[in-house]
Amino acid sequence: LHQAKIGGKNNCIRYSHAVYEEYVHTLDVQEELRKDIENDFHGFELYYQPVVNIGQKKILGAEALIRWHSSKFGFMSPGQFIPMLEETGLIIPLGRWITKTAIEQCVKWQKVVPGFRMNVNLSFVQIKKSNALQDILFLIHTLNVDKNVLMIEVTESGEIESSVAAKVLRSFKDESIPLAIDDFGTGYSNLRYVKDMTFDLVKIDQSFIRNIINSKYDYLVVKQFTELAHSLNLTVCYEGVEDEEVFRCVLDLKPDYIQGYYFSKPVPAAEFEEKCLNQQVEF
Ligand code: C2E
Ligand code: MG
Ligand code: MG
Ligand code: MG
């Protein structure tokens, strides 16, 4: 057991070796993230997962998802390192690079598939602390592309509903940048907020889709969310459709888009071009 003294001599905090080790590990990883970001984003790569347009039976878009192959720690998932980037503020320079890379990629793919759209995730830290909107508008302007090449995804959370974040999101709206609410149904579902912010797309979280065959409750929730979203003129995407059985089941609920391993995992750009770009989907 380690001991730390904070403040006066009677304020002793005891904490376990495991907690201490984990803390040191986090600092190590953060240091490595910083080095790689400073070293021209070494080890970072965007992967792309197809977004299937159900009405047109076509892949008309993709979601850009960050990957990090650390030379020290090997492959680490975004679920692990994104919180570390948020904590250190490193998400801001990396986020800029992600947005730029994603838009440039989208411009290339639009030449093959007119109207192709790229979904990019923005963390609440980027929304609150950076000039994310100005950066995006600048990129759109210099690359001379249409504003709806991008769809910005923000994860539903208490943070996002703060007044600062709401103000920033409204300015995205004012500039006609499409917005999606991600992981819908997981934490702080506030339908009024979704309606007031006039999001364009609601992405229903994969935790509802996963058990849809066996859970009557999940099935009904997804059905109701979808009908409600449609009645508010929002489009709906289901995340996490992994197999044919689930795919068949959710088709009846009439989502506008589906994403999931059933069609493809997120893949590097070259592989996306080869296997997904401009593909018709049979069903
Ligand atoms: P998200 O935005 O909700 O992304 C969807 C996640 O679900 C991705 O995980 C994707 O690989 C995974 N997924 C897609 N289809 C399926 C499926 O059929 N089954 C299962 N089990 N999973 C599926 P990933 O890439 O590990 O990303 C995790 C989260 O990290 C993302 O959730 C997002 O919140 C965050 N993230 C990823 N890339 C970025 C980024 O570039 N910027 C920011 N700010 N956050 C990112
Ligand atoms: Mg997302
Ligand atoms: Mg998420
Ligand atoms: Mg999601």
Side-chain angles (χ1 to χ4, degrees), residues 63-65 119-122 152-155 180-183 203 239 259:
E63 177 173 4
L65 293 155
N119 285 27
V120 176
N121 294 283
L122 282 202
I152 299 298
E153 297 192 4
V154 292
T155 299
I181 188 143
D182 205 352
D183 303 347
K203 299 187 79 170
E239 301 191 90
Q259 245 180 287

Side-chain angles (χ1 to χ4, degrees), residues 4-272:
K5 274 195 169 173
I6 297 173
K9 60 180 174 212
N10 295 324
N11 295 325
C12 225
I13 298 176
R14 293 170 146 255
Y15 53 97
S16 72
H17 193 67
V19 171
Y20 177 75
E21 294 276 284
E22 195 185 308
Y23 174 67
V24 169
H25 177 71
T26 300
L27 291 181
D28 270 358
V29 177
Q30 286 177 339
E31 185 50 31
E32 213 53 28
L33 283 163
R34 183 185 311 280
K35 275 197 226 151
D36 278 353
I37 287 171
E38 280 171 5
N39 184 16
D40 201 20
F41 306 100
H42 179 262
F44 289 98
E45 186 179 5
L46 273 184
Y47 275 34
Y48 302 91
Q49 185 179 37
V51 176
V52 176
N53 181 310
I54 296 302
Q56 299 189 40
K57 300 191 176 188
K58 280 208 78 168
I59 295 169
L60 293 176
E63 177 173 4
L65 293 155
I66 192 68
R67 297 290 178 262
W68 182 44
H69 309 268
S70 162
S71 40
K72 186 165 174 188
F73 300 104
F75 177 81
M76 215 179 259
S77 75
Q80 291 176 289
F81 67 80
I82 296 267
M84 299 188 192
L85 292 168
E86 289 175 340
E87 207 173 294
T88 52
L90 287 167
I91 191 71
I92 290 173
L94 183 68
R96 278 205 187 99
W97 178 85
I98 290 170
T99 307
K100 181 165 184 282
T101 309
I103 296 181
E104 285 170 351
Q105 188 60 75
C106 191
V107 169
K108 286 183 199 150
W109 288 345
Q110 282 195 334
K111 292 189 176 123
V112 183
V113 181
F116 189 91
R117 185 153 72 186
M118 191 70 84
N119 285 27
V120 176
N121 294 283
L122 282 202
S123 137
F124 71 91
V125 176
Q126 289 169 274
I127 305 267
K128 288 192 352 188
K129 296 213 182 118
S130 71
N131 297 318
L133 177 62
Q134 280 69 28
D135 289 345
I136 289 168
L137 291 175
F138 177 78
L139 283 167
I140 283 175
H141 182 75
T142 46
L143 295 167
N144 193 23
V145 283
D146 205 85
K147 278 179 178 173
N148 58 22
V149 296
L150 271 194
M151 165 84 82
I152 299 298
E153 297 192 4
V154 292
T155 299
E156 182 195 35
S157 76
E159 290 284 353
I160 278 302
E161 291 182 44
S162 75
S163 59
V164 183
K167 199 166 155 247
V168 178
L169 289 182
R170 207 169 292 283
S171 59
F172 273 79
K173 221 41 238 171
D174 294 341
E175 290 290 344
S176 310
I177 307 275
L179 287 177
I181 188 143
D182 205 352
D183 303 347
F184 187 76
T186 51
Y188 301 79
S189 320
N190 184 337
L191 291 170
R192 165 143 301 280
Y193 174 75
V194 171
K195 180 179 162 288
D196 290 351
M197 282 311 300
T198 55
F199 282 96
D200 301 276
L201 172 73
V202 177
K203 299 187 79 170
I204 309 246
D205 191 65
Q206 41 183 285
S207 59
F208 291 98
I209 306 297
R210 198 174 301 137
N211 301 317
I212 204 158
I213 307 264
N214 299 315
S215 164
K216 181 88 183 156
Y217 173 80
D218 287 354
Y219 181 86
L220 287 174
V221 166
V222 172
K223 185 173 150 69
Q224 294 300 325
F225 274 166
T226 306
E227 284 170 9
L228 186 70
H230 282 158
S231 70
L232 295 169
N233 273 325
L234 302 166
T235 53
V236 176
C237 179
Y238 294 165
E239 301 191 90
V241 173
E242 293 189 355
D243 55 47
E244 164 116 34
E245 209 188 353
V246 171
F247 176 69
R248 294 283 158 210
C249 171
V250 297
L251 263 188
D252 287 343
L253 302 179
K254 308 235 180 322
D256 304 277
Y257 306 96
I258 288 182
Q259 245 180 287
Y261 294 171
Y262 176 57
F263 294 113
S264 171
K265 291 196 170 190
V267 291
E271 198 175 328
F272 189 93

